[in-house]
Structures are given as C-alpha cells and as structure tokens.
Amino acid sequence: EQQDDLNAWALERGKKGNRVIAIGYKELSSQMAQHITHQDDEHDITILGAIAFDDPIKTTAKQAVLEAQKLGL
C-alpha cells in the first residue's frame, strides 16, 4: 500500500510539473552484484523517501532549441 501511495504522489507531482527524486537501496550478495542487469536493478528496492521540486523551463530554452536545430542537432 505504501508503494501505491508513493506512486500516486509522484504521479500527481509530475502532473503539476514537479521533478521527483526517490532515494532507495537494494541489498545484494557479492555474487548477485556481479550478475545484475539493468532490468534487475529496478525491482525490489527499499524506498527511503522522495522529494519533489520545481524546475521551471529557463527563459533561454526556446532560443537554445532553435540554435541547436540550425546546427542540425
């Protein structure tokens, strides 16, 4: 239930334009750590907490995108 509450909270913050960062850990044996894959490391994590914060778009973003497009990026 706590996981569902955290997911709902993070989704709501995201809809409001906030960035969300969660902090957690996963205990692994040394043998498991040698063979873990990217897909494995995203499951069974113990979440310690999360924060949400504003990260507004910079006023120079539009110009930067236009310049990048001119350069073919």
Side-chain angles (χ1 to χ4, degrees):
E1 184 178 319
Q2 284 182 332
Q3 184 67 38
D4 292 338
D5 291 345
L6 178 61
N7 287 341
W9 177 83
L11 285 172
E12 186 61 32
R13 297 285 78 78
K15 288 178 185 177
K16 292 182 177 185
N18 295 135
R19 301 233 184 209
V20 176
I21 297 176
I23 306 298
Y25 69 94
K26 181 176 188 169
E27 292 187 24
L28 300 173
S29 68
S30 59
Q31 184 177 10
M32 288 173 59
Q34 293 175 9
H35 302 289
I36 196 164
T37 66
H38 176 67
Q39 291 82 14
D40 294 332
D41 66 3
E42 295 179 356
H43 299 283
D44 303 320
I45 298 170
T46 300
I47 301 295
L48 300 174
I51 61 169
F53 59 94
D54 288 333
D55 188 16
I57 297 173
K58 295 181 180 179
T59 57
T60 58
K62 182 177 179 179
Q63 185 61 35
V65 170
L66 293 173
E67 302 247 346
Q69 288 173 336
K70 285 181 188 177
L71 295 172
L73 301 176

